[in-house]
Amino acid sequence: MRRRLYYVLPSVPAARAMLDELLLARIEERHIRFMAREGALPKDMPECGFMVKTDLIHGAQLGIIIGGIAGFVAGVLLVLMPPDGLTMRTAAILLMALGGALFGAWASGMNAAAVPNKKLEKYAERIAAGEVLMMVDVPLRRVREIEDMIAARHPDFSFAGEEPPMLAFP
């Protein structure tokens, strides 16, 4: 399990120094992401991807729930009131729920891909002003260690918050 920490750094050189320090603290580069104005970060620094910048994940999750419920209701109605000459089995309920969930995930995910991430909206002004947002996914047992290290070495970096624990997917 990992916890995502957010820090707002004053400039790109400060972000570069912070990346080097986190790498020395044995935080892998794939767990560190930066978000800055368009074109401000050098190519060799890990930038936020499409999935982080947009609400795609949240939208797809919402679509699965809503689509699954709608598909389940449609399946129940289809079994209770089948078309003339057809007999429906209860497996139709499961198939309709699954189809609804898949369609809901696709449709809602497509819509959410055009919406900026709600969690990152509060940093938009600071990013536009030239600051850099750093997101680092830290193992739960090392959260305090990393926070203390950053606070001791860089008291001018503002701690912007943390998310609840997330599963560590490769």
Side-chain angles (χ1 to χ4, degrees):
M1 301 260 298
R2 294 185 169 274
R3 179 162 287 178
R4 179 165 288 170
L5 304 175
Y6 294 95
Y7 284 89
V8 179
L9 311 175
S11 64
V12 174
R16 164 73 67 199
M18 195 70 252
L19 173 65
D20 293 341
E21 288 179 26
L22 287 171
L23 290 173
L24 289 173
R26 297 185 183 229
I27 302 293
E28 296 176 22
E29 188 172 338
R30 67 186 174 122
H31 296 297
I32 306 167
R33 295 285 172 254
F34 295 97
M35 188 173 187
R37 282 188 311 212
E38 195 69 33
L41 285 177
K43 296 288 183 202
D44 61 335
M45 288 185 70
E47 191 171 356
C48 288
F50 180 73
M51 303 277 270
V52 175
K53 288 181 181 179
T54 64
D55 248 355
L56 178 69
I57 301 294
H58 180 256
Q61 290 172 340
L62 201 58
I64 287 173
I65 293 169
I66 294 171
I69 291 170
F72 178 79
V73 170
V76 168
L77 291 174
L78 190 64
V79 168
L80 292 177
M81 298 178 285
D84 289 337
L86 291 177
T87 57
M88 294 288 164
R89 298 185 182 234
T90 54
I93 297 172
L94 179 63
L95 289 175
M96 291 292 287
L98 182 62
L102 290 174
F103 179 75
W106 174 76
S108 185
M110 293 295 286
N111 283 332
V115 177
N117 191 332
K118 299 269 189 269
K119 294 176 186 172
L120 303 180
E121 273 183 354
K122 58 185 170 187
Y123 308 114
E125 279 184 27
R126 295 178 78 177
I127 290 172
E131 295 181 323
V132 180
L133 176 67
M134 178 182 71
M135 294 167 265
V136 58
D137 300 330
V138 179
L140 284 177
R141 68 185 187 287
R142 296 194 62 201
V143 169
R144 295 295 155 227
E145 170 194 345
I146 298 299
E147 286 178 346
D148 292 344
M149 178 198 75
I150 294 172
R153 293 184 185 171
H154 303 283
D156 57 327
F157 290 0
S158 61
F159 179 69
E162 61 185 63
E163 283 184 16
M166 65 178 94
L167 294 176
F169 291 112

